[in-house]
């Protein structure tokens, strides 16, 4: 069955540094991958979508890469700020499984220390 | 648009009671999803609808859970009877297509005592 792993439950970094979060998957080939941000007490909010034929996508201070050979996506936040502190979830479509839904990782809780 | 609306935001009930969670998706979105989120298991898909029709309910834990979508602007998730292990945050999300961006509601935090 499909498996999605995000590198760690929690990540602490100093303000101004680049945060790098990892999403690894096994046992299937998604057509695209999404990253969401979730703040405490709120629902996930969409950030970026990257397709399998795209190596990299950027949005302001965010950058996502998608390596279908390594079965991995990296999510970078440059010049991190305390306001970036949140839980970040990766989500993948079901690939060739025939299912029409997203599968979510368990998330990485990022804390940016002032 | 106000986004996805869920009610209630918090629910505390006793074991054995019926619980009904409500969701209003974003207007024009053909897909509606119900998720459950816990610390242990993360975000799990329970069921999703397309044009008010349930498409995949394989994530529904057991017969105690049921979901309906009587029209394009309203869905319910019902748990009867509720059990303490049902305690979680339940999210509703909607989207234009099943694998594209999903828009989540604020969630309902359920505590079953």
């Amino acid at each position: 069955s499909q498996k999605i792993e995000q590198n760690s439950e929690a990540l602490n970094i100093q303000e101004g540094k680049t945060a790098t979060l990892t999403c690894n998957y096994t046992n299937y080939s998604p057509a695209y991958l999404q990253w969401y941000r979730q703040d405490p007490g709120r629902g996930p909010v969409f950030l970026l979508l990257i397709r399998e034929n795209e190596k990299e996508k950027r949005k302001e201070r965010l950058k996502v890469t998608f390596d279908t050979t390594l079965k991995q996506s990296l999510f970078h936040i440059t010049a991190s700020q305390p306001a970036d502190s949140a839980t970040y979830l990766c989500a993948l479509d079901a690939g060739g499984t025939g299912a029409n839904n997203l599968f979510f990782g368990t998330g990485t809780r990022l804390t940016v220390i002032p | 648009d106000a986004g996805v609306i869920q009610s209630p935001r918090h629910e505390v009930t006793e074991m054995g009671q019926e619980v009904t969670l409500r969701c209003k998706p974003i207007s024009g979105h053909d897909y509606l999803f119900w998720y459950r989120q816990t610390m242990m298991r993360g975000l799990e898909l329970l069921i999703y609808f397309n044009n008010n029709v349930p498409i995949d309910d394989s994530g529904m834990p057991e017969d105690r859970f049921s979901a309906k979508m009587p029209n394009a602007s309203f869905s319910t998730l019902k748990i009867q009877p509720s059990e303490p292990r049902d305690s979680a945050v339940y999210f509703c999300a909607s989207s234009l297509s099943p694998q594209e961006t999903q828009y989540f509601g604020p969630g309902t935090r359920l505590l079953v005592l």
Side-chain angles (χ1 to χ4, degrees), chain A residues 32 34 36 38 41-44 46 49 51 93-94 99-102 104, chain B residues 9 35 37 41-43 45 48 56 91 98-102 104-106:
Chain A
Y32 47 86
Q34 304 181 34
Y36 288 76
Q38 187 174 21
R42 295 179 174 243
F46 170 78
L49 180 152
R51 302 183 188 280
D93 73 284
N100 284 322
N101 53 271
L102 294 177
F104 283 83
Chain B
R9 292 296 310 277
Y35 291 90
Q37 188 175 42
R41 301 174 68 92
L43 200 61
L45 177 69
Y48 77 93
D56 183 355
F91 287 103
Q99 299 177 52
E100 298 272 348
T101 304
Q102 295 187 10
F104 284 78

PDB file of all heavy atoms in Angstrom, chain A residues 32 34 36 38 41-44 46 49 51 93-94 99-102 104, chain B residues 9 35 37 41-43 45 48 56 91 98-102 104-106:
ATOM      1  N   TYR A  32       1.056  14.247  -9.088  1.00  0.00           N
ATOM      2  CA  TYR A  32       1.461  15.529  -8.528  1.00  0.00           C
ATOM      3  C   TYR A  32       1.420  15.478  -7.010  1.00  0.00           C
ATOM      4  O   TYR A  32       0.870  14.551  -6.415  1.00  0.00           O
ATOM      5  CB  TYR A  32       0.647  16.689  -9.071  1.00  0.00           C
ATOM      6  CG  TYR A  32      -0.830  16.487  -9.102  1.00  0.00           C
ATOM      7  CD1 TYR A  32      -1.610  16.760  -7.997  1.00  0.00           C
ATOM      8  CD2 TYR A  32      -1.451  16.060 -10.267  1.00  0.00           C
ATOM      9  CE1 TYR A  32      -2.966  16.591  -8.039  1.00  0.00           C
ATOM     10  CE2 TYR A  32      -2.814  15.890 -10.312  1.00  0.00           C
ATOM     11  CZ  TYR A  32      -3.566  16.167  -9.197  1.00  0.00           C
ATOM     12  OH  TYR A  32      -4.919  16.004  -9.243  1.00  0.00           O
ATOM     13  N   GLN A  34       1.267  18.044  -3.371  1.00  0.00           N
ATOM     14  CA  GLN A  34       0.873  19.351  -2.829  1.00  0.00           C
ATOM     15  C   GLN A  34       1.453  19.518  -1.423  1.00  0.00           C
ATOM     16  O   GLN A  34       1.688  18.538  -0.713  1.00  0.00           O
ATOM     17  CB  GLN A  34      -0.650  19.449  -2.748  1.00  0.00           C
ATOM     18  CG  GLN A  34      -1.359  19.216  -4.060  1.00  0.00           C
ATOM     19  CD  GLN A  34      -2.857  19.335  -3.938  1.00  0.00           C
ATOM     20  OE1 GLN A  34      -3.367  20.125  -3.175  1.00  0.00           O
ATOM     21  NE2 GLN A  34      -3.574  18.548  -4.726  1.00  0.00           N
ATOM     22  N   TYR A  36       0.648  21.705   2.177  1.00  0.00           N
ATOM     23  CA  TYR A  36      -0.340  22.469   2.923  1.00  0.00           C
ATOM     24  C   TYR A  36       0.293  22.948   4.222  1.00  0.00           C
ATOM     25  O   TYR A  36       1.172  22.292   4.788  1.00  0.00           O
ATOM     26  CB  TYR A  36      -1.559  21.611   3.273  1.00  0.00           C
ATOM     27  CG  TYR A  36      -2.465  21.285   2.106  1.00  0.00           C
ATOM     28  CD1 TYR A  36      -2.106  20.332   1.163  1.00  0.00           C
ATOM     29  CD2 TYR A  36      -3.686  21.941   1.951  1.00  0.00           C
ATOM     30  CE1 TYR A  36      -2.939  20.034   0.093  1.00  0.00           C
ATOM     31  CE2 TYR A  36      -4.532  21.650   0.892  1.00  0.00           C
ATOM     32  CZ  TYR A  36      -4.145  20.692  -0.033  1.00  0.00           C
ATOM     33  OH  TYR A  36      -4.982  20.402  -1.084  1.00  0.00           O
ATOM     34  N   GLN A  38      -0.779  24.005   8.193  1.00  0.00           N
ATOM     35  CA  GLN A  38      -1.846  23.917   9.183  1.00  0.00           C
ATOM     36  C   GLN A  38      -1.418  24.603  10.472  1.00  0.00           C
ATOM     37  O   GLN A  38      -0.403  24.243  11.071  1.00  0.00           O
ATOM     38  CB  GLN A  38      -2.236  22.456   9.464  1.00  0.00           C
ATOM     39  CG  GLN A  38      -3.451  22.337  10.368  1.00  0.00           C
ATOM     40  CD  GLN A  38      -3.928  20.904  10.532  1.00  0.00           C
ATOM     41  OE1 GLN A  38      -3.193  19.961  10.311  1.00  0.00           O
ATOM     42  NE2 GLN A  38      -5.185  20.747  10.910  1.00  0.00           N
ATOM     43  N   GLY A  41      -5.585  24.513  15.650  1.00  0.00           N
ATOM     44  CA  GLY A  41      -7.004  24.821  15.707  1.00  0.00           C
ATOM     45  C   GLY A  41      -7.631  25.200  14.384  1.00  0.00           C
ATOM     46  O   GLY A  41      -8.781  25.648  14.352  1.00  0.00           O
ATOM     47  N   ARG A  42      -6.883  25.013  13.304  1.00  0.00           N
ATOM     48  CA  ARG A  42      -7.403  25.389  11.984  1.00  0.00           C
ATOM     49  C   ARG A  42      -7.232  24.243  11.004  1.00  0.00           C
ATOM     50  O   ARG A  42      -6.482  23.301  11.239  1.00  0.00           O
ATOM     51  CB  ARG A  42      -6.680  26.619  11.453  1.00  0.00           C
ATOM     52  CG  ARG A  42      -6.947  27.854  12.293  1.00  0.00           C
ATOM     53  CD  ARG A  42      -6.201  29.054  11.773  1.00  0.00           C
ATOM     54  NE  ARG A  42      -6.591  30.256  12.506  1.00  0.00           N
ATOM     55  CZ  ARG A  42      -7.194  31.286  11.952  1.00  0.00           C
ATOM     56  NH1 ARG A  42      -7.480  31.289  10.670  1.00  0.00           N
ATOM     57  NH2 ARG A  42      -7.504  32.329  12.678  1.00  0.00           N
ATOM     58  N   GLY A  43      -7.935  24.344   9.881  1.00  0.00           N
ATOM     59  CA  GLY A  43      -7.787  23.354   8.830  1.00  0.00           C
ATOM     60  C   GLY A  43      -6.564  23.635   7.983  1.00  0.00           C
ATOM     61  O   GLY A  43      -6.046  24.742   7.963  1.00  0.00           O
ATOM     62  N   PRO A  44      -6.079  22.623   7.268  1.00  0.00           N
ATOM     63  CA  PRO A  44      -4.940  22.824   6.372  1.00  0.00           C
ATOM     64  C   PRO A  44      -5.267  23.848   5.287  1.00  0.00           C
ATOM     65  O   PRO A  44      -6.408  23.920   4.810  1.00  0.00           O
ATOM     66  CB  PRO A  44      -4.723  21.432   5.775  1.00  0.00           C
ATOM     67  CG  PRO A  44      -5.342  20.486   6.752  1.00  0.00           C
ATOM     68  CD  PRO A  44      -6.510  21.223   7.320  1.00  0.00           C
ATOM     69  N   PHE A  46      -3.866  25.244   1.517  1.00  0.00           N
ATOM     70  CA  PHE A  46      -3.030  24.916   0.369  1.00  0.00           C
ATOM     71  C   PHE A  46      -1.942  25.960   0.154  1.00  0.00           C
ATOM     72  O   PHE A  46      -2.188  27.169   0.255  1.00  0.00           O
ATOM     73  CB  PHE A  46      -3.906  24.823  -0.882  1.00  0.00           C
ATOM     74  CG  PHE A  46      -3.137  24.735  -2.165  1.00  0.00           C
ATOM     75  CD1 PHE A  46      -2.572  23.533  -2.551  1.00  0.00           C
ATOM     76  CD2 PHE A  46      -2.966  25.841  -2.974  1.00  0.00           C
ATOM     77  CE1 PHE A  46      -1.858  23.440  -3.734  1.00  0.00           C
ATOM     78  CE2 PHE A  46      -2.255  25.750  -4.154  1.00  0.00           C
ATOM     79  CZ  PHE A  46      -1.703  24.542  -4.532  1.00  0.00           C
ATOM     80  N   LEU A  49       1.406  23.377  -5.458  1.00  0.00           N
ATOM     81  CA  LEU A  49       1.214  22.100  -6.151  1.00  0.00           C
ATOM     82  C   LEU A  49       2.317  21.969  -7.192  1.00  0.00           C
ATOM     83  O   LEU A  49       2.632  22.932  -7.897  1.00  0.00           O
ATOM     84  CB  LEU A  49      -0.156  22.067  -6.827  1.00  0.00           C
ATOM     85  CG  LEU A  49      -0.545  20.800  -7.610  1.00  0.00           C
ATOM     86  CD1 LEU A  49      -2.069  20.636  -7.590  1.00  0.00           C
ATOM     87  CD2 LEU A  49      -0.072  20.845  -9.053  1.00  0.00           C
ATOM     88  N   ARG A  51       3.735  19.256 -10.313  1.00  0.00           N
ATOM     89  CA  ARG A  51       3.389  18.086 -11.114  1.00  0.00           C
ATOM     90  C   ARG A  51       4.627  17.228 -11.359  1.00  0.00           C
ATOM     91  O   ARG A  51       5.759  17.695 -11.248  1.00  0.00           O
ATOM     92  CB  ARG A  51       2.754  18.521 -12.423  1.00  0.00           C
ATOM     93  CG  ARG A  51       1.513  19.362 -12.217  1.00  0.00           C
ATOM     94  CD  ARG A  51       0.806  19.748 -13.494  1.00  0.00           C
ATOM     95  NE  ARG A  51      -0.257  20.702 -13.213  1.00  0.00           N
ATOM     96  CZ  ARG A  51      -1.456  20.373 -12.745  1.00  0.00           C
ATOM     97  NH1 ARG A  51      -1.753  19.118 -12.532  1.00  0.00           N
ATOM     98  NH2 ARG A  51      -2.358  21.300 -12.506  1.00  0.00           N
ATOM     99  N   ASP A  93      -1.560  12.687  -4.853  1.00  0.00           N
ATOM    100  CA  ASP A  93      -2.713  12.042  -5.469  1.00  0.00           C
ATOM    101  C   ASP A  93      -2.457  10.539  -5.479  1.00  0.00           C
ATOM    102  O   ASP A  93      -1.367  10.069  -5.137  1.00  0.00           O
ATOM    103  CB  ASP A  93      -2.939  12.560  -6.883  1.00  0.00           C
ATOM    104  CG  ASP A  93      -1.900  12.024  -7.844  1.00  0.00           C
ATOM    105  OD1 ASP A  93      -0.764  12.530  -7.813  1.00  0.00           O
ATOM    106  OD2 ASP A  93      -2.216  11.096  -8.602  1.00  0.00           O
ATOM    107  N   ALA A  94      -3.453   9.791  -5.836  1.00  0.00           N
ATOM    108  CA  ALA A  94      -3.368   8.345  -5.670  1.00  0.00           C
ATOM    109  C   ALA A  94      -2.626   7.650  -6.789  1.00  0.00           C
ATOM    110  O   ALA A  94      -2.580   6.435  -6.831  1.00  0.00           O
ATOM    111  CB  ALA A  94      -4.776   7.777  -5.539  1.00  0.00           C
ATOM    112  N   ALA A  99      -7.878   5.314  -7.373  1.00  0.00           N
ATOM    113  CA  ALA A  99      -8.632   6.103  -6.406  1.00  0.00           C
ATOM    114  C   ALA A  99      -8.537   7.575  -6.779  1.00  0.00           C
ATOM    115  O   ALA A  99      -7.552   8.023  -7.356  1.00  0.00           O
ATOM    116  CB  ALA A  99      -8.081   5.875  -5.004  1.00  0.00           C
ATOM    117  N   ASN A 100      -9.552   8.304  -6.444  1.00  0.00           N
ATOM    118  CA  ASN A 100      -9.600   9.729  -6.772  1.00  0.00           C
ATOM    119  C   ASN A 100      -9.570  10.557  -5.517  1.00  0.00           C
ATOM    120  O   ASN A 100     -10.545  11.189  -5.150  1.00  0.00           O
ATOM    121  CB  ASN A 100     -10.870  10.047  -7.565  1.00  0.00           C
ATOM    122  CG  ASN A 100     -10.762   9.586  -8.995  1.00  0.00           C
ATOM    123  OD1 ASN A 100      -9.705   9.678  -9.598  1.00  0.00           O
ATOM    124  ND2 ASN A 100     -11.830   9.068  -9.521  1.00  0.00           N
ATOM    125  N   ASN A 101      -8.464  10.540  -4.827  1.00  0.00           N
ATOM    126  CA  ASN A 101      -8.380  11.357  -3.631  1.00  0.00           C
ATOM    127  C   ASN A 101      -6.915  11.636  -3.334  1.00  0.00           C
ATOM    128  O   ASN A 101      -6.033  11.151  -4.033  1.00  0.00           O
ATOM    129  CB  ASN A 101      -9.037  10.660  -2.436  1.00  0.00           C
ATOM    130  CG  ASN A 101      -8.520   9.260  -2.208  1.00  0.00           C
ATOM    131  OD1 ASN A 101      -9.049   8.308  -2.760  1.00  0.00           O
ATOM    132  ND2 ASN A 101      -7.471   9.121  -1.412  1.00  0.00           N
ATOM    133  N   LEU A 102      -6.686  12.444  -2.313  1.00  0.00           N
ATOM    134  CA  LEU A 102      -5.341  12.771  -1.869  1.00  0.00           C
ATOM    135  C   LEU A 102      -4.980  11.937  -0.647  1.00  0.00           C
ATOM    136  O   LEU A 102      -5.839  11.592   0.158  1.00  0.00           O
ATOM    137  CB  LEU A 102      -5.235  14.240  -1.489  1.00  0.00           C
ATOM    138  CG  LEU A 102      -5.393  15.272  -2.606  1.00  0.00           C
ATOM    139  CD1 LEU A 102      -5.343  16.676  -2.015  1.00  0.00           C
ATOM    140  CD2 LEU A 102      -4.322  15.101  -3.660  1.00  0.00           C
ATOM    141  N   PHE A 104      -2.460  12.172   2.635  1.00  0.00           N
ATOM    142  CA  PHE A 104      -1.687  13.154   3.382  1.00  0.00           C
ATOM    143  C   PHE A 104      -0.632  12.485   4.251  1.00  0.00           C
ATOM    144  O   PHE A 104      -0.874  11.417   4.833  1.00  0.00           O
ATOM    145  CB  PHE A 104      -2.603  13.983   4.285  1.00  0.00           C
ATOM    146  CG  PHE A 104      -3.386  15.037   3.551  1.00  0.00           C
ATOM    147  CD1 PHE A 104      -4.568  14.712   2.896  1.00  0.00           C
ATOM    148  CD2 PHE A 104      -2.938  16.344   3.508  1.00  0.00           C
ATOM    149  CE1 PHE A 104      -5.281  15.676   2.218  1.00  0.00           C
ATOM    150  CE2 PHE A 104      -3.650  17.312   2.822  1.00  0.00           C
ATOM    151  CZ  PHE A 104      -4.822  16.981   2.182  1.00  0.00           C
TER     152      PHE A 104
ATOM    153  N   ARG B   9     -18.211  23.827  16.067  1.00  0.00           N
ATOM    154  CA  ARG B   9     -16.745  23.880  16.128  1.00  0.00           C
ATOM    155  C   ARG B   9     -16.218  22.944  17.204  1.00  0.00           C
ATOM    156  O   ARG B   9     -15.127  22.393  17.077  1.00  0.00           O
ATOM    157  CB  ARG B   9     -16.275  25.307  16.407  1.00  0.00           C
ATOM    158  CG  ARG B   9     -16.523  26.284  15.278  1.00  0.00           C
ATOM    159  CD  ARG B   9     -15.718  25.920  14.017  1.00  0.00           C
ATOM    160  NE  ARG B   9     -14.315  25.695  14.295  1.00  0.00           N
ATOM    161  CZ  ARG B   9     -13.399  26.641  14.390  1.00  0.00           C
ATOM    162  NH1 ARG B   9     -13.740  27.906  14.212  1.00  0.00           N
ATOM    163  NH2 ARG B   9     -12.137  26.352  14.652  1.00  0.00           N
ATOM    164  N   TYR B  35     -12.668  14.218   6.501  1.00  0.00           N
ATOM    165  CA  TYR B  35     -11.433  13.681   7.062  1.00  0.00           C
ATOM    166  C   TYR B  35     -11.533  13.629   8.576  1.00  0.00           C
ATOM    167  O   TYR B  35     -12.275  14.377   9.200  1.00  0.00           O
ATOM    168  CB  TYR B  35     -10.237  14.585   6.731  1.00  0.00           C
ATOM    169  CG  TYR B  35      -9.809  14.630   5.284  1.00  0.00           C
ATOM    170  CD1 TYR B  35     -10.347  15.574   4.410  1.00  0.00           C
ATOM    171  CD2 TYR B  35      -8.832  13.761   4.802  1.00  0.00           C
ATOM    172  CE1 TYR B  35      -9.930  15.636   3.086  1.00  0.00           C
ATOM    173  CE2 TYR B  35      -8.410  13.827   3.487  1.00  0.00           C
ATOM    174  CZ  TYR B  35      -8.967  14.765   2.633  1.00  0.00           C
ATOM    175  OH  TYR B  35      -8.543  14.825   1.335  1.00  0.00           O
ATOM    176  N   GLN B  37      -8.718  13.722  11.858  1.00  0.00           N
ATOM    177  CA  GLN B  37      -7.315  13.959  12.194  1.00  0.00           C
ATOM    178  C   GLN B  37      -7.056  13.654  13.655  1.00  0.00           C
ATOM    179  O   GLN B  37      -7.740  14.164  14.539  1.00  0.00           O
ATOM    180  CB  GLN B  37      -6.895  15.400  11.889  1.00  0.00           C
ATOM    181  CG  GLN B  37      -5.403  15.645  12.043  1.00  0.00           C
ATOM    182  CD  GLN B  37      -5.003  17.055  11.625  1.00  0.00           C
ATOM    183  OE1 GLN B  37      -5.677  18.031  11.922  1.00  0.00           O
ATOM    184  NE2 GLN B  37      -3.895  17.168  10.882  1.00  0.00           N
ATOM    185  N   ARG B  41      -2.625   9.140  13.922  1.00  0.00           N
ATOM    186  CA  ARG B  41      -2.833   8.684  12.551  1.00  0.00           C
ATOM    187  C   ARG B  41      -2.828   9.799  11.520  1.00  0.00           C
ATOM    188  O   ARG B  41      -2.929   9.535  10.317  1.00  0.00           O
ATOM    189  CB  ARG B  41      -4.143   7.901  12.474  1.00  0.00           C
ATOM    190  CG  ARG B  41      -4.178   6.683  13.391  1.00  0.00           C
ATOM    191  CD  ARG B  41      -5.558   6.039  13.384  1.00  0.00           C
ATOM    192  NE  ARG B  41      -5.844   5.427  12.096  1.00  0.00           N
ATOM    193  CZ  ARG B  41      -5.592   4.158  11.806  1.00  0.00           C
ATOM    194  NH1 ARG B  41      -5.018   3.387  12.688  1.00  0.00           N
ATOM    195  NH2 ARG B  41      -5.898   3.675  10.622  1.00  0.00           N
ATOM    196  N   GLY B  42      -2.720  11.031  11.980  1.00  0.00           N
ATOM    197  CA  GLY B  42      -2.700  12.136  11.036  1.00  0.00           C
ATOM    198  C   GLY B  42      -4.064  12.355  10.413  1.00  0.00           C
ATOM    199  O   GLY B  42      -5.093  12.069  11.017  1.00  0.00           O
ATOM    200  N   LEU B  43      -4.058  12.813   9.172  1.00  0.00           N
ATOM    201  CA  LEU B  43      -5.280  13.165   8.451  1.00  0.00           C
ATOM    202  C   LEU B  43      -5.718  11.957   7.626  1.00  0.00           C
ATOM    203  O   LEU B  43      -5.015  11.544   6.707  1.00  0.00           O
ATOM    204  CB  LEU B  43      -4.989  14.360   7.564  1.00  0.00           C
ATOM    205  CG  LEU B  43      -6.150  15.214   7.062  1.00  0.00           C
ATOM    206  CD1 LEU B  43      -6.902  15.836   8.216  1.00  0.00           C
ATOM    207  CD2 LEU B  43      -5.605  16.304   6.142  1.00  0.00           C
ATOM    208  N   LEU B  45      -8.738  10.165   5.253  1.00  0.00           N
ATOM    209  CA  LEU B  45      -9.955  10.366   4.482  1.00  0.00           C
ATOM    210  C   LEU B  45     -11.008   9.352   4.917  1.00  0.00           C
ATOM    211  O   LEU B  45     -10.742   8.156   4.968  1.00  0.00           O
ATOM    212  CB  LEU B  45      -9.668  10.203   2.992  1.00  0.00           C
ATOM    213  CG  LEU B  45     -10.884  10.318   2.063  1.00  0.00           C
ATOM    214  CD1 LEU B  45     -11.410  11.751   2.054  1.00  0.00           C
ATOM    215  CD2 LEU B  45     -10.519   9.879   0.652  1.00  0.00           C
ATOM    216  N   TYR B  48     -15.719  10.533   0.392  1.00  0.00           N
ATOM    217  CA  TYR B  48     -15.878  11.730  -0.406  1.00  0.00           C
ATOM    218  C   TYR B  48     -17.033  11.571  -1.381  1.00  0.00           C
ATOM    219  O   TYR B  48     -17.421  10.453  -1.755  1.00  0.00           O
ATOM    220  CB  TYR B  48     -14.580  12.154  -1.102  1.00  0.00           C
ATOM    221  CG  TYR B  48     -14.167  11.386  -2.329  1.00  0.00           C
ATOM    222  CD1 TYR B  48     -14.541  11.821  -3.598  1.00  0.00           C
ATOM    223  CD2 TYR B  48     -13.345  10.281  -2.219  1.00  0.00           C
ATOM    224  CE1 TYR B  48     -14.113  11.140  -4.727  1.00  0.00           C
ATOM    225  CE2 TYR B  48     -12.918   9.599  -3.342  1.00  0.00           C
ATOM    226  CZ  TYR B  48     -13.292  10.034  -4.595  1.00  0.00           C
ATOM    227  OH  TYR B  48     -12.872   9.363  -5.723  1.00  0.00           O
ATOM    228  N   ASP B  56     -16.418   7.055  -2.563  1.00  0.00           N
ATOM    229  CA  ASP B  56     -15.524   6.135  -1.881  1.00  0.00           C
ATOM    230  C   ASP B  56     -15.713   6.302  -0.378  1.00  0.00           C
ATOM    231  O   ASP B  56     -15.361   7.331   0.181  1.00  0.00           O
ATOM    232  CB  ASP B  56     -14.073   6.426  -2.272  1.00  0.00           C
ATOM    233  CG  ASP B  56     -13.081   5.441  -1.654  1.00  0.00           C
ATOM    234  OD1 ASP B  56     -13.487   4.587  -0.842  1.00  0.00           O
ATOM    235  OD2 ASP B  56     -11.880   5.525  -1.984  1.00  0.00           O
ATOM    236  N   PHE B  91     -12.609  17.161   9.759  1.00  0.00           N
ATOM    237  CA  PHE B  91     -12.552  18.235   8.776  1.00  0.00           C
ATOM    238  C   PHE B  91     -13.408  17.887   7.570  1.00  0.00           C
ATOM    239  O   PHE B  91     -13.455  16.740   7.124  1.00  0.00           O
ATOM    240  CB  PHE B  91     -11.118  18.468   8.292  1.00  0.00           C
ATOM    241  CG  PHE B  91     -10.230  19.130   9.292  1.00  0.00           C
ATOM    242  CD1 PHE B  91      -9.296  18.387  10.005  1.00  0.00           C
ATOM    243  CD2 PHE B  91     -10.311  20.503   9.517  1.00  0.00           C
ATOM    244  CE1 PHE B  91      -8.466  18.997  10.923  1.00  0.00           C
ATOM    245  CE2 PHE B  91      -9.483  21.112  10.434  1.00  0.00           C
ATOM    246  CZ  PHE B  91      -8.561  20.354  11.148  1.00  0.00           C
ATOM    247  N   PRO B  98     -11.113  16.051  -7.859  1.00  0.00           N
ATOM    248  CA  PRO B  98     -10.775  15.243  -6.681  1.00  0.00           C
ATOM    249  C   PRO B  98      -9.317  15.301  -6.254  1.00  0.00           C
ATOM    250  O   PRO B  98      -9.013  15.081  -5.084  1.00  0.00           O
ATOM    251  CB  PRO B  98     -11.148  13.822  -7.110  1.00  0.00           C
ATOM    252  CG  PRO B  98     -11.108  13.845  -8.597  1.00  0.00           C
ATOM    253  CD  PRO B  98     -11.544  15.217  -8.989  1.00  0.00           C
ATOM    254  N   GLN B  99      -8.425  15.584  -7.157  1.00  0.00           N
ATOM    255  CA  GLN B  99      -7.024  15.517  -6.784  1.00  0.00           C
ATOM    256  C   GLN B  99      -6.335  16.868  -6.855  1.00  0.00           C
ATOM    257  O   GLN B  99      -5.137  16.958  -6.662  1.00  0.00           O
ATOM    258  CB  GLN B  99      -6.310  14.509  -7.686  1.00  0.00           C
ATOM    259  CG  GLN B  99      -6.903  13.109  -7.548  1.00  0.00           C
ATOM    260  CD  GLN B  99      -6.261  12.119  -8.486  1.00  0.00           C
ATOM    261  OE1 GLN B  99      -5.056  11.989  -8.537  1.00  0.00           O
ATOM    262  NE2 GLN B  99      -7.075  11.412  -9.252  1.00  0.00           N
ATOM    263  N   GLU B 100      -7.082  17.888  -7.099  1.00  0.00           N
ATOM    264  CA  GLU B 100      -6.527  19.231  -7.116  1.00  0.00           C
ATOM    265  C   GLU B 100      -6.656  19.857  -5.725  1.00  0.00           C
ATOM    266  O   GLU B 100      -7.005  19.188  -4.753  1.00  0.00           O
ATOM    267  CB  GLU B 100      -7.260  20.073  -8.170  1.00  0.00           C
ATOM    268  CG  GLU B 100      -7.094  19.546  -9.586  1.00  0.00           C
ATOM    269  CD  GLU B 100      -5.852  20.099 -10.279  1.00  0.00           C
ATOM    270  OE1 GLU B 100      -5.247  21.043  -9.779  1.00  0.00           O
ATOM    271  OE2 GLU B 100      -5.500  19.557 -11.340  1.00  0.00           O
ATOM    272  N   THR B 101      -6.377  21.119  -5.640  1.00  0.00           N
ATOM    273  CA  THR B 101      -6.380  21.819  -4.358  1.00  0.00           C
ATOM    274  C   THR B 101      -7.680  21.616  -3.605  1.00  0.00           C
ATOM    275  O   THR B 101      -8.765  21.742  -4.152  1.00  0.00           O
ATOM    276  CB  THR B 101      -6.190  23.325  -4.593  1.00  0.00           C
ATOM    277  OG1 THR B 101      -4.993  23.523  -5.326  1.00  0.00           O
ATOM    278  CG2 THR B 101      -6.150  24.076  -3.281  1.00  0.00           C
ATOM    279  N   GLN B 102      -7.524  21.272  -2.336  1.00  0.00           N
ATOM    280  CA  GLN B 102      -8.694  21.121  -1.481  1.00  0.00           C
ATOM    281  C   GLN B 102      -8.752  22.277  -0.497  1.00  0.00           C
ATOM    282  O   GLN B 102      -7.729  22.702   0.033  1.00  0.00           O
ATOM    283  CB  GLN B 102      -8.642  19.782  -0.744  1.00  0.00           C
ATOM    284  CG  GLN B 102      -8.746  18.595  -1.697  1.00  0.00           C
ATOM    285  CD  GLN B 102      -8.863  17.270  -0.992  1.00  0.00           C
ATOM    286  OE1 GLN B 102      -9.057  17.199   0.209  1.00  0.00           O
ATOM    287  NE2 GLN B 102      -8.757  16.187  -1.754  1.00  0.00           N
ATOM    288  N   PHE B 104     -10.192  23.433   3.037  1.00  0.00           N
ATOM    289  CA  PHE B 104     -10.650  22.836   4.282  1.00  0.00           C
ATOM    290  C   PHE B 104     -11.461  23.817   5.112  1.00  0.00           C
ATOM    291  O   PHE B 104     -11.196  25.016   5.132  1.00  0.00           O
ATOM    292  CB  PHE B 104      -9.450  22.374   5.118  1.00  0.00           C
ATOM    293  CG  PHE B 104      -8.822  21.107   4.614  1.00  0.00           C
ATOM    294  CD1 PHE B 104      -7.976  21.120   3.518  1.00  0.00           C
ATOM    295  CD2 PHE B 104      -9.078  19.888   5.240  1.00  0.00           C
ATOM    296  CE1 PHE B 104      -7.395  19.940   3.042  1.00  0.00           C
ATOM    297  CE2 PHE B 104      -8.493  18.718   4.778  1.00  0.00           C
ATOM    298  CZ  PHE B 104      -7.662  18.753   3.683  1.00  0.00           C
ATOM    299  N   GLY B 105     -12.422  23.259   5.838  1.00  0.00           N
ATOM    300  CA  GLY B 105     -13.121  24.021   6.845  1.00  0.00           C
ATOM    301  C   GLY B 105     -12.300  24.101   8.124  1.00  0.00           C
ATOM    302  O   GLY B 105     -11.216  23.511   8.205  1.00  0.00           O
ATOM    303  N   PRO B 106     -12.817  24.791   9.132  1.00  0.00           N
ATOM    304  CA  PRO B 106     -12.073  24.959  10.389  1.00  0.00           C
ATOM    305  C   PRO B 106     -12.051  23.714  11.267  1.00  0.00           C
ATOM    306  O   PRO B 106     -11.296  23.647  12.221  1.00  0.00           O
ATOM    307  CB  PRO B 106     -12.822  26.101  11.084  1.00  0.00           C
ATOM    308  CG  PRO B 106     -14.206  25.991  10.545  1.00  0.00           C
ATOM    309  CD  PRO B 106     -14.074  25.518   9.140  1.00  0.00           C
TER     310      PRO B 106
END
